């Protein structure tokens, strides 16, 4: 076989290997972004409640949240902004806390007018697939 062809074949094999390696790294990074994450240290509480945003959920919503279980949001529930994490603004249900599995308080995380996931009282953030669109009302 011609040495030029052999070198071209080797170069092609190296490019394929590098491309496959880059694809594997990208998949790992995407998987890391979608998993649960402890963000307790990055939570910033909202100290001025008079400037807090509000959200009203008009229809019931239900999410199966990884490592937590089912979170069910009641129709016509009202949520008040209580802080923020890197993934979005954190909203707590007004009146009584929303409990996941009856034990852990779940707060909605909203960014770009969509539910992105839930923030729990222990500092855990869990993203959701296909978060519902919401209207955030700023006061």
């Amino acid at each position: 076989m011609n040495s030029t062809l052999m070198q071209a074949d080797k170069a092609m094999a190296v490019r394929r290997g590098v491309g496959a390696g880059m694809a594997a790294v990208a998949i790992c990074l995407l998987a890391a972004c979608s998993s649960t994450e402890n963000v307790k240290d990055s939570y910033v509480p909202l100290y001025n409640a008079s400037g807090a945003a509000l959200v009203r959920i008009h229809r019931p919503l239900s999410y199966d949240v990884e490592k937590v279980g089912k979170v069910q949001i009641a129709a016509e529930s009202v949520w008040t902004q209580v802080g923020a994490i890197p993934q979005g603004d954190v909203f707590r249900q007004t009146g009584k806390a929303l409990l996941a599995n009856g034990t852990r308080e779940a707060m909605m995380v909203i960014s770009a007018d969509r539910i992105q996931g839930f923030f729990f009282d222990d500092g855990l953030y869990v993203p959701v697939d296909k978060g519902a669109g919401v209207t955030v009302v700023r006061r």
Side-chain angles (χ1 to χ4, degrees), residues 1-8:
M1 194 171 188
N2 185 334
S3 68
T4 305
L5 284 175
M6 287 176 45
Q7 287 177 346

Side-chain angles (χ1 to χ4, degrees), residues 10-94:
K10 285 181 184 177
M12 182 67 87
V14 168
R15 278 188 238 130
R16 282 189 198 135
V18 169
M22 290 174 61
V25 168
I27 289 170
C28 289
L29 288 173
L30 286 173
C33 291
S34 67
S35 64
T36 61
E37 184 177 351
N38 190 321
V39 293
K40 188 174 195 172
D41 293 338
S42 62
Y43 174 74
V44 178
L46 185 67
Y47 291 109
N48 184 359
S50 65
L54 293 175
V55 170
R56 179 180 302 272
I57 303 297
H58 295 287
R59 59 184 164 78
L61 299 172
S62 181
Y63 292 97
D64 283 321
V65 179
E66 179 184 340
K67 297 182 182 179
V68 176
K70 192 163 286 282
V71 174
Q72 296 184 338
I73 301 171
E76 300 306 320
S77 60
V78 177
W79 297 71
T80 304
Q81 183 183 8
V82 294
I85 59 175
Q87 293 82 355
D89 293 330
V90 177
F91 289 78
R92 175 178 279 138
Q93 185 171 287
T94 304

